[in-house]
Amino acid sequence: MTPPPASEPASLSRRLLEVILLFLKLGFTAFGGPAAHVALFHEEVVERRKWLDEQRFLDLIGATNLIPGPNSTEIVIHIGFLRAGWLGFLFAGLCFTLPAALIVLALAGIYVRFGSAPQAGWLLYGIKPVIIAVILQALLGLGKKALKDRLTGAAGVLVLVAYFLGVNEVALLFIAGLLVMLFKNLQKMKKPGTALALLPLAGGGLPALASIPFSLPVLFLTFLKIGSVLYGSGYVLLAFLKADFVTRLGWITDQQLIDAVAIGQVTPGPLFTAATFIGYLLGGAPGALLATIGIFLPSFVFVALSKPVIPRLRNSPWAGSLLDGVNAASLGLMAAVTWQLGVASLTDPLTLGLALVSLFLLLRYKVSSTWLIAGGALVGLASMIVP
């Protein structure tokens, strides 16, 4: 994985501007959580702009699922590097996370002043059906590449079923990857000297802290620890935040934690911006800044460390088949989350119709998801005004 040639400064500047503009736009419009983000990225960088092909995009999804941190942010950082080198690496991540963090910061100020979280149910009412359609479009496109044979197809289906049986999603990723790798290389295992050492990245937690008064350094280090060890979807963040900030440190209440996660859900961008909200509650603007840096900084470090490995994974028969299994599992998990979102979001004829119309416009006329999300927000606003 190498950045664009340095001998083309004009082209590199243009590519960097493209990266900045795209991820700024997504930073303000990417609602719906990790599955929706992946779908939006797929539409923008694979289908519309042709920056990546299907296989490379799938490999990025698989690779980021194997490291801790917010997966959608890590995919953005990878794409930025591939498109515009190290400057793209930096600005892609910043442009995707900063808009959400600033919106959350503003809402945190309102919360502190008025003592409650602003209600945005009408916004999500109209946007979520559109997001369901966007994810379905991405599943159709990615499925053709990820489920490349009966083995990977079976892995995807089994992961989907196991998810609903309550099996841990991170365990499913590794199990599916290992099983596909072993089945595909069964004959090679009989040859002497064939071995594979799998060393998943594991974040070493910081030493447990005694219950102490609030301080900015401890706030930063706690969020740095969480960003370094959190595997799975952004919703796993709730458990980490409760363990550290409610139970261990006692700095916030359960209600404040729920409000922080709710704000992260109703704003665009990564759910991890709940850290910005908590940081502001505890330490004002400096606390919000340190909390945001602490939870997102590990993502940049992990991507920088893992990016040279991804091409080698694809070129190795063993590691490539491991990645095939992880990709199929990622698609199965994405389908499971889509079903859950659909059940929660498509609750009446209006939302069901909005999802179907959006899917038709995406598949038939390739309408930009940005416009569809804006239309969904207007429908939500109209539903609030007109009983």
Side-chain angles (χ1 to χ4, degrees):
M1 186 184 297
T2 56
S7 59
E8 301 178 9
S11 175
L12 185 58
S13 299
R14 176 180 57 79
R15 289 178 176 221
L16 179 60
L17 181 60
E18 291 173 346
V19 166
I20 290 172
L21 292 177
L22 171 61
F23 289 114
L24 269 178
K25 181 185 82 169
L26 289 172
F28 283 107
T29 61
F31 289 89
H37 296 166
V38 169
L40 292 169
F41 301 159
H42 178 265
E43 183 201 1
E44 294 287 357
V45 305
V46 177
E47 295 186 355
R48 298 178 70 85
R49 289 169 172 79
K50 311 295 183 185
W51 290 356
L52 302 175
D53 60 27
E54 295 277 6
Q55 186 61 63
R56 202 165 201 188
F57 184 75
L58 277 167
D59 288 348
L60 289 186
I61 297 173
T64 53
N65 274 319
L66 294 175
I67 60 176
N71 294 150
S72 53
T73 303
E74 290 165 345
I75 293 172
V76 163
I77 297 170
H78 271 297
I79 293 170
F81 179 81
L82 289 172
R83 186 64 181 169
W86 285 106
L87 285 175
F89 170 97
L90 177 64
F91 280 99
L94 291 177
C95 289
F96 182 64
T97 56
L98 277 180
L102 292 174
I103 294 171
V104 169
L105 183 62
L107 294 176
I110 297 172
Y111 182 91
V112 168
R113 182 171 181 180
F114 296 104
S116 63
Q119 298 301 311
W122 61 268
L123 186 68
L124 291 180
Y125 175 81
I127 288 177
K128 280 186 176 181
V130 177
I131 293 298
I132 298 299
V134 173
I135 299 174
L136 287 174
Q137 181 202 30
L139 283 171
L140 291 173
L142 293 171
K144 296 174 184 177
K145 198 72 178 180
L147 309 180
K148 54 183 63 176
D149 50 35
R150 291 182 179 179
L151 180 59
T152 50
V157 172
L158 288 174
V159 166
L160 174 65
V161 173
Y163 176 86
F164 285 112
L165 293 176
V167 182
N168 179 271
E169 58 189 24
V170 179
L172 288 174
L173 287 168
F174 282 100
I175 292 170
L178 288 170
L179 289 177
V180 170
M181 178 191 68
L182 291 174
F183 274 108
K184 283 193 172 185
N185 294 275
L186 203 54
Q187 294 303 316
K188 294 181 181 180
M189 291 178 64
K190 299 177 181 179
K191 298 179 181 179
T194 301
L196 178 68
L198 297 174
L199 299 173
L201 287 172
L206 298 175
L209 302 173
S211 181
I212 59 174
F214 171 75
S215 72
L216 289 174
V218 174
L219 175 76
F220 172 77
L221 290 174
T222 304
F223 275 114
L224 186 69
K225 178 195 71 174
I226 292 173
S228 300
V229 302
L230 194 155
Y231 267 101
S233 72
Y235 300 104
V236 181
L237 179 65
L238 180 64
F240 279 77
L241 294 176
K242 180 174 176 60
D244 276 319
F245 289 98
V246 178
T247 304
R248 184 169 62 86
L249 295 171
W251 287 353
I252 61 174
T253 65
D254 281 319
Q255 184 58 52
Q256 288 173 322
L257 173 61
I258 292 169
D259 289 341
V261 174
I263 290 293
Q265 286 181 303
V266 301
T267 50
L271 182 61
F272 278 52
T273 49
T276 308
F277 186 89
I278 292 173
Y280 186 86
L281 290 187
L282 294 171
L289 177 63
L290 288 175
T292 306
I293 293 174
I295 202 164
F296 284 106
L297 181 60
S299 298
F300 288 86
V301 175
F302 286 133
V303 171
L305 293 174
S306 65
K307 66 178 180 56
V309 178
I310 297 177
R312 297 177 186 176
L313 288 177
R314 179 49 59 195
N315 293 333
S316 163
W318 280 87
S321 53
L322 171 71
L323 199 54
D324 285 340
V326 172
N327 288 343
S330 300
L331 207 66
L333 291 174
M334 192 171 168
V337 172
T338 304
W339 175 263
Q340 292 177 325
L341 289 173
V343 170
S345 305
L346 309 181
T347 55
D348 53 41
L350 178 58
T351 50
L352 180 60
L354 186 56
L356 292 174
V357 169
S358 299
L359 184 60
F360 173 76
L361 292 174
L362 284 167
L363 295 176
R364 181 67 177 83
Y365 295 106
K366 309 296 182 185
V367 176
S368 171
S369 60
T370 303
W371 292 111
L372 293 176
I373 289 172
L378 290 176
V379 171
L381 176 60
S383 71
M384 180 186 69
I385 297 173
V386 180

